[in-house]
Amino acid sequence: MIKTLMGSIREYKKASLLSPLFVIMEVGMEVIIPLLMVRLIDQGLNAGNMHNTLMYGLIMIICAMISLAFGVLAGKYAASASAGLAKNLRHDLYHHVQDFSFSNIDHFSTASLVTRMTTDVTNVQNAYMMIVRVAVRAPVMLICALAMSLTLNARLSCAFLVAVPIMGIGLFLIIKNAHPIFERVFRTYDKLNNVVQENLRGIRVVKSFVREDHEIDKFGHISQKIFDDFSKAERLLAFNMPLMQFVMYACMLIIAWFGAKFIVTGSMTTGALTSLITYVMQILMSLMMISMVFVMITMAQASAERIVAVINEEPDLTDNDHPVSVIPDGAVSFQHVGFSYAGNPDKLSLKDIHLDVAAGETIGIIGGTGSGKSSLVQLIPRLYDATLGTVLVGGQDVRNYDVKTLRNAVAMVLQKNELFSGTIAENLRWGNAAATDEAIATAARLACASEFIDQMPDGYDTMIEQGGTNVSGGQKQRLCIARALLKKPKILILDDSTSAVDTATDATIRKGFKTIIPGTTTFIIAQRISSVQEADRIVVMDGGTISAVGTHDELLSASPIYKDVYESQMAASSKGDTPSPEDAAAIPESSVKGGMKRETV
Ligand SMILES: Nc1ncnc2c1ncn2[C@@H]1O[C@H](COP(=O)(O)OP(=O)(O)O)[C@@H](O)[C@H]1O
Ligand SMILES: [Mg+2]
């Protein structure tokens, strides 16, 4: 773990070394000062020698100034080293997460990744600051002061030999109990972030279902849990202070008591006792600092483990050693493909899928919710890898391609599509950074997006708010389609991408595909039969398997599921209401089971 973290220090190595170096010099000065004090008192003040008093006083002042300068430098370098480490850690995390496959992200959850990149990195940053400054300062100070006090009076210094082990044991017990609590707290933080993220993203749904109170309760509950855990951990850590102080004052008392006796019997000077007490203070201060560092490290350790877990996570989509970087055509073939989100062959979301699609063919996919439509098409651009069997694109196993090449050739409009903050034109250029204004306008026109973009006061320069909240669902879908068209892909996948677009516009958009990307293999997942009716072939999905394949007419006679869906949608539209996606989704599911039975008989 330490090695992984150290790997992120990089250009801040110099600062990380300079800081402790200045700290050591600072401590050196601080340790000399009490020695000068002995002289000042014994040879100056007590001897009534004004010259000595002034000289030692002056030297002390100079030493104090130098020590101050070293202290400032140490602080400066410590700040730059720790902030630098944090910067590099965030960079490394972010960079690494970009290589993650969907299943890597499923593994950590988005909220947890956010906590790790923010709160956890800050914890490590604070701990690192402590380490380069205090963790060096305290032991050095402890050793020097201990050595000095031993030379001043060995017998009195024995008091420490009793004090240090007592403090050590106390600290060990505290930390051992606090660490597991901190580990738990950070997991709860993930949950908190998740609730916040979910709530803010879905704020419209929350409001329309009047679930605010429920959401506030949920948040309050988790927030309370963090409070409880933190107070428990802090209560444990709070024992540290009284323990230190008890031991510290006990030492002081012993030394003052015996020291006074020694002075009376003449075996010790006043100056020596004064300095000894200063050293005692220094020793106890360093012990206290050491204990604080330990506490800080305990807290940061939990964070560091979480950061390292992300950095060490192997992206499970790895490139072939000799990746193929040319995709000959858009032919797609699923060969006995099985797929499980958990990678577990016993829990398959797709079972034994066998399907050959020629380049340029248009395939419609229909089936109830959860029947595996999205799972199936996600295997084509390798958003996930097949668990069993192989997926071929252009006659090659998708795993043989360079992932970038593959994804550049496949444009996918996801069911949960996203727009990013920026202008409409910027969003569309995600499809092709070099696209001319004309190309953008053409794509927008074919996706039926130009009609509303032209109405906007700023046209293509209209700003899209975060998450695309200032465009309607149907407008967002059309923008996402335009973005995909600009890519001029070999394979185009539309996962339920026109669900919020009216039927007539939907038909116009589909006609557009034939114009702008005639040779493109197209997969259209839809709830409405009308969206797939003209496809070359239609695949009917059911419970993770392909239940039937054929043209519209073939399926009407061969697939009872398809026939049921078609008839229910025709009935609904003749009544004058277009079925909403929810209705359409619900219907096939009820007919699915009956259909299956009839087919197996
Ligand atoms: N990210 C995921 N992790 C685990 N299971 C998932 C995930 N996405 C979908 N599933 C499961 O896979 C099955 C098929 O889902 P999906 O392909 O999205 O269906 P469809 O697109 O046909 O509605 C469902 O049972 C669903 O619960
Ligand atoms: Mg889906």
Side-chain angles (χ1 to χ4, degrees), residues 350-403:
L350 290 176
K351 285 163 235 134
D352 198 35
I353 300 287
H354 203 79
L355 179 71
D356 283 309
V357 179
E361 207 176 350
T362 298
I363 298 287
I365 302 178
I366 237 158
T369 26
S371 60
K373 305 179 298 293
S374 300
S375 309
L376 178 72
V377 292
Q378 281 175 7
L379 302 179
I380 302 173
R382 277 190 86 190
L383 297 184
Y384 290 92
D385 267 338
T387 314
L388 305 169
T390 36
V391 179
L392 307 182
V393 166
Q396 281 266 5
D397 188 334
V398 283
R399 280 170 285 211
N400 291 347
Y401 290 114
D402 173 50
V403 178

Side-chain angles (χ1 to χ4, degrees), residues 29 88 166 381 458 508:
M29 287 297 148
N88 285 348
I166 296 180
D458 294 327
T508 320

Side-chain angles (χ1 to χ4, degrees), residues 263-333:
I263 292 178
V264 172
T265 57
S267 59
M268 198 181 184
T269 62
T270 332
L273 183 64
T274 320
S275 303
L276 194 63
I277 289 187
T278 314
Y279 285 129
V280 173
M281 286 292 267
Q282 288 185 347
I283 289 171
L284 295 171
M285 282 295 280
S286 21
L287 284 175
M288 211 129 89
M289 276 194 255
I290 292 177
S291 70
M292 261 159 61
V293 169
F294 270 111
V295 167
M296 192 82 191
I297 290 179
T298 318
M299 216 161 118
Q301 196 189 345
S303 287
E305 280 161 8
R306 287 158 47 90
I307 292 173
V308 170
V310 177
I311 293 184
N312 288 345
E313 168 95 355
E314 288 287 332
D316 64 3
L317 282 186
T318 41
D319 264 349
N320 194 300
D321 285 341
H322 304 286
V324 182
S325 53
V326 184
I327 297 184
D329 58 41
V332 177
S333 170

Side-chain angles (χ1 to χ4, degrees), residues 411-430:
M412 182 148 175
V413 183
L414 291 173
Q415 191 167 18
K416 273 191 260 163
N417 43 32
E418 292 281 352
L419 292 173
F420 292 80
S421 321
T423 64
I424 289 186
E426 278 165 7
N427 266 286
L428 295 184
R429 282 209 170 88
W430 276 60

